[in-house]
Amino acid sequence: NAGVMQNPRHLVRRRGQEARLRCSPMKGHSHVYWYRQLPEEGLKFMVYLQKENIIDESGMPKERFSAEFPKEGPSILRIQQVVRGDSAAYFCASSTVVKLSDTQYFGPGTRLTVL
Amino acid sequence: KNEVEQSPQNLTAQEGEFITINCSYSVGISALHWLQQHPGGGIVSLFMLSSGKKKHGRLIATINIQEKHSSLHITASHPRDSAVYICAVSKTSYDKVIFGPGTSLSVIP
């Protein structure tokens, strides 16, 4: 059973370009979470999705950021018109939510650098 | 005040020492997570606790729900244990996670 997969692992974009980060949850997991770790800062929640639904997006910036988790395929975190302040590590996690004891499993992260 | 606090912020230990990292939180939770992050690396879930104590190898995690406090212990520490250890809480196991600031551990041979 492969773990949570994220790609690309490293992404370089120029200011104004779009960044697309992909997350494939563990097999059987239907819940995906996106977290961001800014340089020298701790991890912060961004968004929680189930298949085709956004459950909680309270941590998402109101502009330029969007997330989806379609019925088929990976979850996508999309950042439009990137700025230098978007440079960070973006982590995805997934869980089953079958049992309350099920934990979240983290992916390796995508490190976004905006030039 | 942060909802999740950790102490110490930085910790240096000699190989073989017993290490304790503390976490306190101010929100009502049903799940507390201990995570490990190596420099430039991904995040590994070490434990998820809702009560009592869990042990995995040289790692032990305890939680006191009434006192809103958890500890992560590492016995017989080794240089490969050097990493940032992050305490995080969630209202349920599938709710968003609120992270502490992390404790940076360095174990010297």
Side-chain angles (χ1 to χ4, degrees), chain B residues 17-33:
Chain B
E17 282 186 10
F18 180 83
I19 289 163
T20 296
I21 299 171
N22 295 299
C23 173
S24 60
Y25 52 92
S26 57
V27 295
I29 68 165
S30 67
L32 183 140
H33 311 255

Side-chain angles (χ1 to χ4, degrees), chain B residues 6 8-12 19 21 35-42 44 46 72 74 78-86 102-107:
Chain B
Q6 287 184 237
Q9 185 177 355
N10 296 288
L11 179 58
T12 300
I19 289 163
I21 299 171
L35 311 168
Q36 180 193 55
Q37 185 176 29
H38 285 277
V44 175
L46 298 175
L72 177 69
I74 305 175
H78 191 276
R80 65 173 174 267
D81 297 326
S82 299
V84 175
Y85 291 84
I86 303 167
T103 293
S104 179
L105 171 66
S106 178
V107 180

